[in-house]
Amino acid sequence: MSLFDKFGTLAADRTALLSTGMDPFGAPLEEVYSATEAKIGGRRVILAGTNNYLGLTRAPECLKAAHDAIDREGTGTTGSRMANGSFAGHRALEREIAAFYECRSAIVFTTGYQANLGMISGLARQGDVLMIDGDSHASIYDGCKLSGADVIRFRHNDAEDLDRRLQRLGDKAPSALVIVEGIYSMLGDRAPLREIVEVKRKHGCMLLVDEAHSMGVLGAKGRGLVEEAGVMGQVDFLVGTFSKSLGSVGGYCASNHPELEFIRYTSRPYVFTASPSPSVIASTRAALALLRDGTELRTRLWERAGELHRGLLDLGYQLGAGISPVVAALVDTREQAIGLWRGLFEHGVYVNLILPPAAPGGKSLVRCSVSAAHTREQIQKILAAFADLREIAAAPALKSHG
Amino acid sequence: MLSPDRLSSGSETAMNSGQGGAYEEVLRRLHPHLHRLSGGRITVTEEMELVAQLGLDSIKVLDLIMEIEDEFDVSIPMNVLADVRTVRDLARAIDTVASGTP
């Protein structure tokens, strides 16, 4: 009996993955040429799985802001905001996020994962009720666990199911916190937010929306699903990340509730971690300005997303959702997904391999994320690779047991 | 296929611990769900572990809870699963939630 016994199955799975070449879950990026190209495992590839939706990782404004911040304030803050204090940039970014969402205030976290972890565990405690979509991201599940609150799942994107479950809570319903996502990261589908807001209003409870994959992507000003659905003022907590459309790292929550300030004291993932580095804050602020005025970037992103989506449908691929910057090509088995991922890589296309239980319903898939920085030619190359690999995806389901 | 009688037969622990009809009723209604989720290949008994023996992964167990909530019209927080390993644990947890104050 050893601590390591539990790794037995994992070790076998990993050996199987490695035996065919590179570990799809640990790709080595030897050189990064641009927002859409890198050298991985000695091969020059198109990056089509990095969530770099607006392609801002190389924006000159962001690079300059980061350089200046390093020169001015150094490489790191060496501690938490509570202990070491808040840099001017931390506070400025919080004001800018709040203004972006037309909210009273905002709070910045060191990573997107911690934003969910910190908000959920900061808001709820034992005896409270968290009502989460069944397909929620791991950071939401982990935040729920850390909170110690009662966690109830409702059926994915099913507002009626949410309504029924809130009804069951009786007197407790008004004190519940409902949690959904703007765009779900694995399949690229969106929450039926207007219906969910209706249910939330009916029961008088609160609503947190995680816009990690929809900020900068949805809405005229890039404010996410809340803007697209026209419910900006009706969501209690808007959570998101800096590590996707904003091209850096970190997370945030914006809210009109003055009580947001108390999160700075009750949230362990906020209190007990180092605050974001000055260069990270600086590039995020520069990227936020570009995102706000980024109508052209968004137009290009959706054009490319549409091209990839239609192209894959024409090739006969089964996709996870309608047109979306997240494009999931579903297959029947693990083996097909691994084969497709590897084939794409050998064709010079890097995407994400998703195996059970990471995707809902035990699905296996390869996940592409489209960027505004992708050229039409790159999308065509990606499609050409998928075209060559149709046989793998269409292989008569050699279903593994189970 | 397993009859509800067989599921409850030999459940001495349940009987001895003073759990009566409600527990048996939970077990009876739980059975078709477990039978289906485990692929219908094996005989489900109270002692069986949901993950190790019935082959349910963590998500399947969570989905099962959702179905049970609808079946019994109760709220069963995910947290109760912390102490649930076997079919009996699950039935007891449901019985507790269904009969007690949430």
Side-chain angles (χ1 to χ4, degrees):
Chain A
M1 186 72 176
S2 145
L3 265 182
F4 297 149
D5 288 348
K6 64 175 85 63
F7 298 142
T9 318
L10 179 62
D13 285 349
R14 185 158 181 270
T15 305
L17 277 179
L18 288 173
S19 67
T20 51
M22 193 176 59
D23 178 4
F25 302 117
L29 280 80
E30 285 119 10
E31 288 181 64
V32 183
Y33 304 115
S34 70
T36 58
E37 281 194 303
K39 185 157 113 185
I40 299 182
R43 192 187 298 271
R44 193 178 179 110
V45 296
I46 297 171
L47 298 172
T50 56
N51 304 325
N52 197 350
Y53 299 120
L54 299 183
L56 294 180
T57 45
R58 295 302 182 98
E61 296 89 335
C62 301
L63 297 180
K64 181 171 189 314
H67 286 144
D68 290 351
I70 286 189
D71 291 341
R72 204 173 50 245
E73 297 178 321
T75 53
T77 65
T78 67
S80 69
R81 304 257 305 262
M82 196 173 248
N84 292 22
S86 294
F87 284 43
H90 293 138
R91 287 179 282 123
L93 178 55
E94 286 174 343
R95 283 193 300 273
E96 287 158 11
I97 292 280
F100 176 66
Y101 283 116
E102 297 168 24
C103 275
R104 187 177 189 280
S105 62
I107 177 168
V108 162
F109 293 87
T110 304
T111 68
Y113 174 82
Q114 280 165 296
N116 271 332
L117 211 62
M119 282 309 301
I120 299 168
S121 67
L123 284 168
R125 63 168 69 165
Q126 203 173 2
D128 291 328
V129 180
L130 298 166
M131 191 71 75
I132 68 173
D133 185 287
D135 289 356
S136 291
H137 187 261
S139 57
I140 292 172
Y141 277 97
D142 292 357
C144 289
K145 206 166 181 179
L146 188 62
S147 76
D150 286 345
V151 184
I152 294 173
R153 294 162 83 232
F154 63 92
R155 288 189 167 79
H156 177 56
N157 277 353
D158 190 337
E160 277 179 38
D161 193 68
L162 170 64
D163 184 26
R164 194 160 50 238
R165 278 161 213 281
L166 280 167
Q167 198 74 49
R168 269 187 206 133
L169 291 180
D171 297 347
K172 272 196 143 184
S175 62
L177 175 66
V178 175
I179 303 176
V180 300
E181 298 179 35
I183 289 180
Y184 285 84
S185 62
M186 291 292 105
L187 299 182
D189 52 335
R190 300 172 205 182
L193 198 54
R194 235 177 281 180
E195 289 89 331
I196 285 170
V197 164
E198 272 311 304
V199 172
K200 163 220 138 91
R201 285 158 64 107
K202 175 180 163 191
H203 293 277
C205 56
M206 292 209 191
L207 174 63
L208 181 153
V209 178
D210 178 2
E211 299 268 15
H213 290 267
S214 37
M215 186 220 203
V217 165
L218 295 178
K221 292 184 180 167
R223 291 181 287 194
L225 186 60
V226 283
E227 184 182 8
E228 189 187 70
V231 294
M232 282 245 316
Q234 298 167 64
V235 171
D236 299 273
F237 303 100
L238 286 161
V239 170
T241 177
F242 303 143
S243 62
K244 295 175 172 54
S245 56
L246 292 171
S248 65
V249 63
Y252 62 86
C253 175
S255 177
N256 278 322
H257 294 290
E259 289 82 358
L260 185 68
E261 278 306 302
F262 295 125
I263 294 295
R264 296 186 200 274
Y265 303 88
T266 62
S267 169
R268 298 172 69 86
Y270 175 86
V271 172
F272 297 104
T273 196
S275 61
S277 299
S279 58
V280 164
I281 293 291
S283 79
T284 303
R285 292 178 63 195
L288 183 61
L290 295 173
L291 181 153
R292 210 168 31 211
D293 307 327
T295 310
E296 245 174 75
L297 290 173
R298 271 184 288 286
T299 305
R300 208 155 61 217
L301 170 65
W302 283 96
E303 276 174 18
R304 298 295 172 271
E307 286 160 20
L308 185 61
H309 182 92
R310 283 185 293 273
L312 287 174
L313 281 186
D314 287 347
L315 289 171
Y317 280 91
Q318 191 200 335
L319 304 182
I323 296 177
S324 165
V326 174
V327 185
L330 306 170
V331 291
D332 290 328
T333 67
R334 260 174 93 86
E335 291 70 26
Q336 281 173 291
I338 294 169
L340 186 54
W341 183 89
R342 197 163 298 287
L344 287 168
F345 178 70
E346 282 161 6
H347 279 72
V349 178
Y350 178 79
V351 297
N352 309 124
L353 172 63
I354 311 292
L355 299 177
K363 293 183 179 81
S364 294
L365 56 100
V366 299
R367 171 190 182 274
C368 313
S369 49
V370 181
S371 171
H374 281 133
T375 62
R376 224 166 232 139
E377 292 67 36
Q378 286 176 318
I379 299 293
Q380 288 310 314
K381 277 186 193 168
I382 296 168
L383 284 170
F386 271 102
D388 275 358
L389 300 162
R390 252 183 304 186
E391 275 180 27
I392 295 180
L398 305 161
K399 287 209 172 86
S400 54
H401 299 288
Chain B
M1 178 68 191
L2 171 74
S3 75
D5 290 338
R6 272 186 65 196
L7 231 191
S8 54
S9 70
S11 63
E12 285 176 45
T13 320
M15 297 301 198
N16 292 346
S17 63
Q19 286 165 311
Y23 172 82
E24 298 299 331
E25 171 71 4
V26 168
L27 209 52
R28 191 183 63 75
R29 289 166 72 176
L30 190 53
H31 177 255
H33 296 277
L34 291 170
H35 186 74
R36 182 174 43 77
L37 281 172
S38 60
R41 289 190 302 268
I42 40 177
T43 303
V44 180
T45 64
E46 277 182 88
E47 294 76 26
M48 276 190 167
E49 294 191 14
L50 297 170
V51 176
Q53 288 175 284
L54 290 180
L56 308 188
D57 62 29
S58 53
I59 298 290
K60 272 192 184 164
V61 173
L62 292 179
D63 289 345
L64 169 65
I65 293 293
M66 236 185 221
E67 289 176 16
I68 299 295
E69 284 183 305
D70 290 340
E71 164 107 32
F72 290 83
D73 195 24
V74 289
S75 298
I76 308 174
M78 269 171 63
N79 333 31
V80 306
L81 291 174
D83 301 320
V84 170
R85 284 185 62 193
T86 63
V87 172
R88 178 182 292 127
D89 295 338
L90 180 62
R92 279 185 182 164
I94 295 167
D95 184 28
T96 306
V97 173
S99 59
T101 48

PDB file of all heavy atoms in Angstrom, chain A residues 222-233:
ATOM      1  N   GLY A 222     -18.019  43.452 -26.620  1.00  0.00           N
ATOM      2  CA  GLY A 222     -17.193  42.347 -26.127  1.00  0.00           C
ATOM      3  C   GLY A 222     -17.427  42.013 -24.673  1.00  0.00           C
ATOM      4  O   GLY A 222     -16.584  41.390 -24.035  1.00  0.00           O
ATOM      5  N   ARG A 223     -18.598  42.416 -24.142  1.00  0.00           N
ATOM      6  CA  ARG A 223     -18.811  42.192 -22.716  1.00  0.00           C
ATOM      7  C   ARG A 223     -19.402  40.825 -22.414  1.00  0.00           C
ATOM      8  O   ARG A 223     -19.751  40.528 -21.278  1.00  0.00           O
ATOM      9  CB  ARG A 223     -19.668  43.316 -22.148  1.00  0.00           C
ATOM     10  CG  ARG A 223     -18.870  44.611 -22.151  1.00  0.00           C
ATOM     11  CD  ARG A 223     -19.631  45.770 -21.580  1.00  0.00           C
ATOM     12  NE  ARG A 223     -20.664  46.221 -22.490  1.00  0.00           N
ATOM     13  CZ  ARG A 223     -21.307  47.382 -22.354  1.00  0.00           C
ATOM     14  NH1 ARG A 223     -21.023  48.177 -21.338  1.00  0.00           N
ATOM     15  NH2 ARG A 223     -22.220  47.744 -23.220  1.00  0.00           N
ATOM     16  N   GLY A 224     -19.500  40.007 -23.450  1.00  0.00           N
ATOM     17  CA  GLY A 224     -19.870  38.620 -23.199  1.00  0.00           C
ATOM     18  C   GLY A 224     -21.338  38.329 -23.405  1.00  0.00           C
ATOM     19  O   GLY A 224     -22.087  39.130 -23.973  1.00  0.00           O
ATOM     20  N   LEU A 225     -21.744  37.164 -22.915  1.00  0.00           N
ATOM     21  CA  LEU A 225     -23.125  36.718 -23.116  1.00  0.00           C
ATOM     22  C   LEU A 225     -24.112  37.663 -22.441  1.00  0.00           C
ATOM     23  O   LEU A 225     -25.223  37.874 -22.932  1.00  0.00           O
ATOM     24  CB  LEU A 225     -23.298  35.283 -22.590  1.00  0.00           C
ATOM     25  CG  LEU A 225     -24.645  34.628 -22.858  1.00  0.00           C
ATOM     26  CD1 LEU A 225     -24.940  34.532 -24.350  1.00  0.00           C
ATOM     27  CD2 LEU A 225     -24.710  33.241 -22.222  1.00  0.00           C
ATOM     28  N   VAL A 226     -23.722  38.244 -21.306  1.00  0.00           N
ATOM     29  CA  VAL A 226     -24.643  39.171 -20.614  1.00  0.00           C
ATOM     30  C   VAL A 226     -25.020  40.327 -21.527  1.00  0.00           C
ATOM     31  O   VAL A 226     -26.163  40.775 -21.539  1.00  0.00           O
ATOM     32  CB  VAL A 226     -24.059  39.752 -19.300  1.00  0.00           C
ATOM     33  CG1 VAL A 226     -24.118  38.738 -18.192  1.00  0.00           C
ATOM     34  CG2 VAL A 226     -22.678  40.310 -19.488  1.00  0.00           C
ATOM     35  N   GLU A 227     -24.046  40.786 -22.323  1.00  0.00           N
ATOM     36  CA  GLU A 227     -24.336  41.890 -23.245  1.00  0.00           C
ATOM     37  C   GLU A 227     -25.168  41.389 -24.427  1.00  0.00           C
ATOM     38  O   GLU A 227     -26.176  41.990 -24.795  1.00  0.00           O
ATOM     39  CB  GLU A 227     -23.039  42.530 -23.743  1.00  0.00           C
ATOM     40  CG  GLU A 227     -23.300  43.744 -24.626  1.00  0.00           C
ATOM     41  CD  GLU A 227     -22.028  44.383 -25.180  1.00  0.00           C
ATOM     42  OE1 GLU A 227     -20.936  43.813 -25.009  1.00  0.00           O
ATOM     43  OE2 GLU A 227     -22.155  45.448 -25.800  1.00  0.00           O
ATOM     44  N   GLU A 228     -24.759  40.254 -24.992  1.00  0.00           N
ATOM     45  CA  GLU A 228     -25.483  39.722 -26.136  1.00  0.00           C
ATOM     46  C   GLU A 228     -26.943  39.431 -25.783  1.00  0.00           C
ATOM     47  O   GLU A 228     -27.854  39.683 -26.580  1.00  0.00           O
ATOM     48  CB  GLU A 228     -24.813  38.438 -26.635  1.00  0.00           C
ATOM     49  CG  GLU A 228     -25.396  37.965 -27.955  1.00  0.00           C
ATOM     50  CD  GLU A 228     -24.868  36.604 -28.367  1.00  0.00           C
ATOM     51  OE1 GLU A 228     -25.222  35.604 -27.711  1.00  0.00           O
ATOM     52  OE2 GLU A 228     -24.103  36.543 -29.325  1.00  0.00           O
ATOM     53  N   ALA A 229     -27.166  38.890 -24.589  1.00  0.00           N
ATOM     54  CA  ALA A 229     -28.523  38.518 -24.180  1.00  0.00           C
ATOM     55  C   ALA A 229     -29.296  39.718 -23.627  1.00  0.00           C
ATOM     56  O   ALA A 229     -30.479  39.601 -23.306  1.00  0.00           O
ATOM     57  CB  ALA A 229     -28.456  37.404 -23.134  1.00  0.00           C
ATOM     58  N   GLY A 230     -28.629  40.851 -23.474  1.00  0.00           N
ATOM     59  CA  GLY A 230     -29.310  42.051 -22.986  1.00  0.00           C
ATOM     60  C   GLY A 230     -29.704  41.991 -21.521  1.00  0.00           C
ATOM     61  O   GLY A 230     -30.745  42.495 -21.127  1.00  0.00           O
ATOM     62  N   VAL A 231     -28.874  41.358 -20.687  1.00  0.00           N
ATOM     63  CA  VAL A 231     -29.219  41.228 -19.265  1.00  0.00           C
ATOM     64  C   VAL A 231     -28.099  41.759 -18.359  1.00  0.00           C
ATOM     65  O   VAL A 231     -27.963  41.317 -17.216  1.00  0.00           O
ATOM     66  CB  VAL A 231     -29.536  39.749 -18.894  1.00  0.00           C
ATOM     67  CG1 VAL A 231     -30.790  39.281 -19.607  1.00  0.00           C
ATOM     68  CG2 VAL A 231     -28.365  38.827 -19.249  1.00  0.00           C
ATOM     69  N   MET A 232     -27.339  42.736 -18.883  1.00  0.00           N
ATOM     70  CA  MET A 232     -26.153  43.216 -18.156  1.00  0.00           C
ATOM     71  C   MET A 232     -26.412  43.596 -16.694  1.00  0.00           C
ATOM     72  O   MET A 232     -25.654  43.238 -15.823  1.00  0.00           O
ATOM     73  CB  MET A 232     -25.541  44.405 -18.891  1.00  0.00           C
ATOM     74  CG  MET A 232     -24.740  43.991 -20.085  1.00  0.00           C
ATOM     75  SD  MET A 232     -22.990  44.349 -19.963  1.00  0.00           S
ATOM     76  CE  MET A 232     -22.970  45.972 -19.324  1.00  0.00           C
ATOM     77  N   GLY A 233     -27.490  44.355 -16.454  1.00  0.00           N
ATOM     78  CA  GLY A 233     -27.725  44.839 -15.096  1.00  0.00           C
ATOM     79  C   GLY A 233     -28.391  43.812 -14.194  1.00  0.00           C
ATOM     80  O   GLY A 233     -28.633  44.071 -13.024  1.00  0.00           O
TER      81      GLY A 233
END
